[in-house]
């Protein structure tokens, strides 16, 4: 886990905010409104980089893939996913405690680059459990209050424990403040979750990179639905 400051410049952050607004108006088949009906919304969509030059350059060129290649000790990396999240002010939905790894039928581990496009304080940003990538893998958690994001039946994994309860007895949770363009880099097995409801609109990206030797495996638990699509 690492936090890097001011990786994406403010002009690019502003351009990415405009891009998210355009893409929300033209959702893909992977688009989801994750929050319950009638409440302030949180929305997400994936695999949109091919539709916008600025987003494409961000995820395929320059500092992000270079950082990923350095961490993974390789000359090139595979872009697994680009994902955006959009939350309205006051939205009570926050990402549950989870590990990205269990949603994907891929081995070995990969990286998630979490990038806020709006400033966010420590109460409302991303939280992560330090060292949790060295612990057990837990079952994926359903994100959506409406259309499912998981596909498959049964699981051979234990449920994610109550991390917030464990915090009271010494779980090491990192919850920093972020400026727009900062990056939090996570191992795919790191437990992480969203913070409290934001008082203002909150837009962010999750970009995932893998080593070229990553490969598909059959999972004995539900995975992200788009990985089961033909």
């Amino acid at each position: 886990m690492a936090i890097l400051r001011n990786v994406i410049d403010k002009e690019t952050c502003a351009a990415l905010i405009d891009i998210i607004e355009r893409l929300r108006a033209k959702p893909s088949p992977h688009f989801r409104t994750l929050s319950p009906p009638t409440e302030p919304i949180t929305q997400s969509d994936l695999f949109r980089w091919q539709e916008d030059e600025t987003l494409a350059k961000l995820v395929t060129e320059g500092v992000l893939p270079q950082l990923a290649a350095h961490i993974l000790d390789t000359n090139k990396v595979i872009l697994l996913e680009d994902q955006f999240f959009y939350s309205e002010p006051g939205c009570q939905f926050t990402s549950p405690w989870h590990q990205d790894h269990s949603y994907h039928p891929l081995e070995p581990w990969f990286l998630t680059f979490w990038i806020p496009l709006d400033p966010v304080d420590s109460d409302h940003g991303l939280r992560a459990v330090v060292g949790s990538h060295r612990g057990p893998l837990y079952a994926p958690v359903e994100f959506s209050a409406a259309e499912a994001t998981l596909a498959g039946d049964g699981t051979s994994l234990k449920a994610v424990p109550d991390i917030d309860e464990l915090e009271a007895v010494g779980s090491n949770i990192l919850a920093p403040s972020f400026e727009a363009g900062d990056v939090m880099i996570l191992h795919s097995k790191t437990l992480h979750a969203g913070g409290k409801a934001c008082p203002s609109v909150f837009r962010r990206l999750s970009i995932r990179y893998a080593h070229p030797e990553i490969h598909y495996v059959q999972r004995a638990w539900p995975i992200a639905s788009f990985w089961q699509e033909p």
Side-chain angles (χ1 to χ4, degrees), residues 73-104:
D73 193 23
T74 180
N75 292 325
K76 62 179 181 178
V77 291
I78 295 173
L79 171 65
L80 294 179
E81 297 165 12
D82 62 293
Q83 183 174 18
F84 73 75
F85 293 89
Y86 171 92
S87 294
E88 289 182 337
C91 180
Q92 296 298 314
F93 170 88
T94 58
S95 300
W97 284 105
H98 67 285
Q99 298 159 301
D100 290 345
H101 197 86
S102 56
Y103 292 81
H104 298 74

Side-chain angles (χ1 to χ4, degrees), residues 1-13:
M1 184 193 315
I3 299 171
L4 304 181
R5 302 297 185 181
N6 197 30
V7 175
I8 310 300
D9 63 69
K10 298 301 185 285
E11 289 185 359
T12 301
C13 287

Side-chain angles (χ1 to χ4, degrees), residues 108-199:
W109 61 283
F110 54 88
L111 293 169
T112 294
F113 285 43
W114 185 85
I115 308 168
L117 303 178
D118 299 286
V120 62
D121 63 29
S122 59
D123 286 337
H124 304 99
L126 194 69
R127 302 176 291 158
V129 181
V130 177
S132 55
H133 66 287
R134 295 189 291 268
L137 185 65
Y138 295 105
V141 182
E142 178 58 66
F143 267 62
S144 177
E147 188 176 359
T149 61
L150 292 173
D153 299 316
T155 183
S156 60
L157 299 174
K158 293 182 179 180
V160 177
D162 188 338
I163 302 298
D164 292 307
E165 179 69 22
L166 291 174
E167 183 178 17
V169 293
S171 182
N172 188 8
I173 296 178
L174 180 66
S177 297
F178 294 92
E179 294 296 327
D182 292 344
V183 177
M184 190 177 213
I185 305 175
L186 300 172
H187 188 291
S188 59
K189 295 181 182 179
T190 298
L191 281 161
H192 59 286
K196 299 177 183 177
C198 281

Side-chain angles (χ1 to χ4, degrees), residues 7-75:
V7 175
I8 310 300
D9 63 69
K10 298 301 185 285
E11 289 185 359
T12 301
C13 287
L16 291 167
I17 285 172
D18 290 340
I19 291 164
I20 287 174
E21 293 300 325
R22 292 200 301 271
L23 295 177
R24 287 178 59 231
K26 188 180 178 182
S28 83
H30 309 297
F31 182 87
R32 296 287 190 276
T33 295
L34 304 175
S35 47
T38 75
E39 295 186 7
I41 62 172
T42 287
Q43 296 173 329
S44 175
D45 209 349
L46 299 103
F47 308 117
R48 306 303 299 271
W49 67 272
Q50 293 181 328
E51 302 173 50
D52 184 273
E53 182 179 358
T54 298
L55 183 57
K57 286 184 176 181
L58 177 75
V59 301
T60 63
E61 303 175 14
V63 65
L64 297 186
Q66 289 174 10
L67 283 169
H70 177 74
I71 295 167
L72 294 167
D73 193 23
T74 180
N75 292 325

